[in-house]
Amino acid sequence: MARIVWTIIMLAVLVAPAHSQYLARMLADDVFPVQGGRLVWLAEGPVTGGDMADLAIADLNGDGQEDLLVGSGYGDLLYYRRLAGDIFGAPEPLIADSTDSASWPPKPRQVSPALVDWNDDGRLDLLLGWEEQLLWYQLRGMALRGGEGMRLADGTKIAEAIRQVAPEVGHLAPAVGDVDGDGDEDLLLGGDDGSVWWLERTADDGGYRWAAPRQLSAGGSPVEVGSRARPCVLDWEGDGHKDVLIGQGEGELWLLRGSSDGLAAAERISVRGQSSLAALAPQLAATGEIWLGTADGFVLNARPSSGALEYSGKLQARPVPLDVGQAAAVSALDWNGDGRLDLLVGNRCGDVRVFEQIGVGDTLMMASGKAISATSGVVSAAGYAWPRCADADGDGDLDMFVGAGDGSVELWINSGSFIRRGPVEVAGQAIRTVGAALVAPCDYDGDGDVDLFVGSKPVSTSSGEATLPVHRVAYFENKADSRPALPVFNKGTLITIQIKDGNQQAPLDGTVLGPQLAEPLALAARGATDFLLTADLGVFLFSTSESRGSYPFLEIGSWPHRLPATLAPAVYSAYACDFLGTGQPVLLCGLEQYGMIVACPDSLP
């Protein structure tokens, strides 16, 4: 135990100046550089590293069980200590936060770890691909020589040598293994361009140097796997020959079978039980399982079976940040009727899940997420699910509007389980936005039925002819003649959004903020109503002096020649509610880059 704590401290000291690490801030309850906030946690849930998980597996604390290092696409490196069986402890950052201020959102900075005992002294050395660097940390007794660039025998840095012949190689992810069968550990490096490089170890002088890098060949041809190559050396068939398993950016796995004649041409390895995956990074566990880091930051567990891998679930830890993968679209409601608000969350993959609150006081602890049952299976969307609940048909229970990445809005009616009623229409035409559809249902005009605010967020999956342009928010008034009945929307109105400065100059068009969704906070009988505006430049608090019987006209004040103040930096979603039951509003923010949810208790006035 003492050794691992000492190692963590030394790594933090030596690595910290290189980059800021946002996940360390989150774990320390200081999420944004300009504003405090607290992560929402799961009592038990998936091991997560944020986005783009790259793995290393080893017994780091000497207890005889394999622990886990997870690097992320944003400069994070987390240590997960195995507790018992297949359960891990809470994540511990190995890279301390820089003292430099940093802006949100974080910038891509991939971290790829590998662990190996180069000199057989019983202590692990850490190899770290870090953005465009390839670093090597040596453990020597009670001293850590760390942070030096890995070099060839002639002193040239390995990363620079590869870029001289392959300028587009990008980030390099290390793996180790005896690829050539000569009895020592060689070095493999997977490039973000899909290439794999082999460096033979040359240690006759007692040092740790490698021969000039060569592109790995299999079946007589250089290995190219498309993008983001992540190699792993293993004995796939147990025949004594080292094979190479390579994950890549599109979620494919390729196996290069080894023999006395070298590596054979690559063959595709399927992962049964998972229909679609992205950006896989494989590692071999001592039990013979293959652990796969994914684009969403999770770690999948799979077993070799009949030439394929059989998916057997995500690695679990306790407690962990609530992470839905990417693009967390969050709202709150009392799902189970216990008087506490639970979380309804969609994600980039189109999944819709509910997380029940089990925390006491302000602990922000949730139970593991549950998929929401429907007659057709579970409620889902065509990517980038944005779910919100309201009593759409007036029968007294909560139905669900779900915005999707293709710009559509679906209505799911609650009849014990949810039934998909198809796309929401206005004047007989399906609503479609430019980008992912964002929805906020509510009875805005106070007539007892559900109206609808619709906005959009630019994503690559949108398609079809749009009825709502980008950076505009529309209000659709429900004109159904009676209740109970499904909503009837005859027309939509684009909301006017203005910024007024202190000099009483002509108002500035609020589209400069990049509006994505406007959602009323508290519906008063008459008078001003506050609106939460989620935008490209952050989350803002707008108001309108128009009565609820009129179309909303949103205004916000600002200092002369300045943009208005934000409640929170740019986030994927924002939702205001009394989440803790204290009578004080809390701003819940869903993050796109990490897929996590942050509660900001002091954001709203």
Side-chain angles (χ1 to χ4, degrees), residues 298-325:
F298 300 131
V299 182
L300 308 186
N301 189 354
R303 289 184 174 275
S305 174
S306 303
L309 286 175
E310 199 76 35
Y311 171 67
S312 54
K314 297 174 182 175
L315 297 189
Q316 300 290 301
R318 64 169 80 102
V320 290
L322 195 166
D323 182 356
V324 298

Side-chain angles (χ1 to χ4, degrees), residues 438 455-458 470-473 497 499 509-518 533-540 542 563 570-571:
L438 316 184
S456 67
K457 189 182 294 285
V470 70
H471 291 156
R472 299 301 302 270
V473 179
I497 302 173
I499 302 171
D509 188 346
T511 57
V512 69
L513 303 176
Q516 298 171 2
L517 182 64
L533 185 79
T534 305
D536 290 352
L537 298 185
V539 182
F540 301 86
F542 277 73
L563 293 178
V571 292

Side-chain angles (χ1 to χ4, degrees), residues 116 118 127 150 174-189 197-202 209-211 214 216 233 242:
V116 62
W118 283 115
L127 310 184
M150 298 179 67
V176 294
D178 185 9
V179 178
D180 56 2
D182 65 356
D184 58 22
E185 302 280 11
D186 303 314
L187 180 64
L188 289 184
L189 297 171
W197 298 81
W198 173 51
L199 292 90
E200 184 178 8
R201 180 175 169 186
T202 58
R209 299 290 183 264
W210 293 266
R214 290 180 280 171
L216 185 68
V233 182
K242 292 297 185 182

